[in-house]
Amino acid sequence: MKKIVPLILLLAVISPILPLFGQQNSDPAASIINHYAARNFVPGAMNKADLDLIVQAGIRAPSASNRQPWHFTVVQDQNLAKQLVSNITDGNVLIVVSASGDGKTNGSQILDCALAVESIYLAAQALGYGSRIYTGPMNTLNSRYKADLGLPGGYSAVALVRVGKVQPGVDAVSAASGRKGADSLVTYK
Ligand SMILES: Cc1cc2nc3c(=O)[nH]c(=O)nc-3n(C[C@H](O)[C@H](O)[C@H](O)COP(=O)(O)O)c2cc1C
């Protein structure tokens, strides 16, 4: 008993700041519901095993007829990353998802890539990282950076996911914006 009381007191004191030491979400449903597009990345290298797992999440995404039409380019080179996303934070990794064609016209291929993008985005957050999807840089990327990124011949980038460290404590200012209500979006028959 003598040993337990100080332990309980210690836990009571440190529990509010535990999230600052990293946060993983082991509940997949909570990751899906609570995600937000990170705005405030902080400098710091990603763990290589985590990065591999995040890329695997993209590789494991479902696709029409299981065609798996995608290619994943993992940009760790900070100079190259900065040319694609100007406000890059040290240690951010960009995962570019590309597919054959112009990246715009093939319906199911775009949907397949979107699912891979979403899986990468959510896996990163489930592992305690911040992530944000970008399509804004795609025109520049496809017109100027295909060779630098080593995209397979005839492929175009569809989207990229920026992944990196975040300070869990800043959720209050960067958590997800509101969503439309189910009453205006869902019809039950
Ligand atoms: C297909 C797609 C493209 C996006 N492109 C960009 C982009 O180019 N630049 C950017 O800052 N955010 C981009 N975003 C992030 C969205 O703005 C963000 O997910 C949305 O505002 C919801 O954010 P929240 O969940 O934090 O509220 C993109 C998101 C999606 C799904």
Side-chain angles (χ1 to χ4, degrees), residues 94-124:
L94 305 181
I95 303 171
V96 179
V97 180
S98 59
S100 66
D102 66 5
K104 289 178 184 156
T105 47
N106 183 335
S108 72
Q109 194 164 282
I110 295 296
L111 183 53
D112 296 339
C113 288
L115 293 172
V117 164
E118 173 80 342
S119 293
I120 290 168
Y121 170 78
L122 291 177

Side-chain angles (χ1 to χ4, degrees), residues 33-179:
I33 299 291
N34 297 326
H35 69 84
Y36 66 94
R39 295 157 180 80
N40 298 299
F41 289 90
V42 294
M46 291 184 64
N47 175 292
K48 173 74 169 72
D50 288 345
L51 182 57
D52 289 345
L53 205 55
I54 290 165
V55 175
Q56 273 299 321
I59 290 171
R60 295 284 309 154
S63 59
S65 304
N66 198 24
R67 280 190 206 102
Q68 305 169 57
W70 41 59
H71 185 81
F72 303 94
T73 306
V74 182
V75 182
Q76 294 171 283
D77 179 319
Q78 298 295 287
N79 285 331
L80 182 53
K82 198 167 183 54
Q83 290 171 61
L84 304 177
V85 175
S86 58
N87 65 346
I88 211 84
T89 303
D90 239 12
N92 281 174
V93 175
L94 305 181
I95 303 171
V96 179
V97 180
S98 59
S100 66
D102 66 5
K104 289 178 184 156
T105 47
N106 183 335
S108 72
Q109 194 164 282
I110 295 296
L111 183 53
D112 296 339
C113 288
L115 293 172
V117 164
E118 173 80 342
S119 293
I120 290 168
Y121 170 78
L122 291 177
Q125 298 195 21
L127 287 169
Y129 294 94
S131 56
R132 187 178 190 97
I133 299 166
Y134 288 78
T135 52
M138 290 309 109
N139 284 342
T140 309
L141 193 157
N142 283 322
S143 58
R144 286 198 236 150
Y145 291 99
K146 278 186 181 181
D148 292 323
L149 289 165
L151 295 199
Y155 275 48
S156 298
V158 174
L160 68 82
V161 189
R162 174 183 181 178
V163 183
K165 295 215 160 184
V166 281
Q167 199 81 53
V170 303
D171 279 7
V173 285
S174 61
S177 2
R179 297 292 193 262

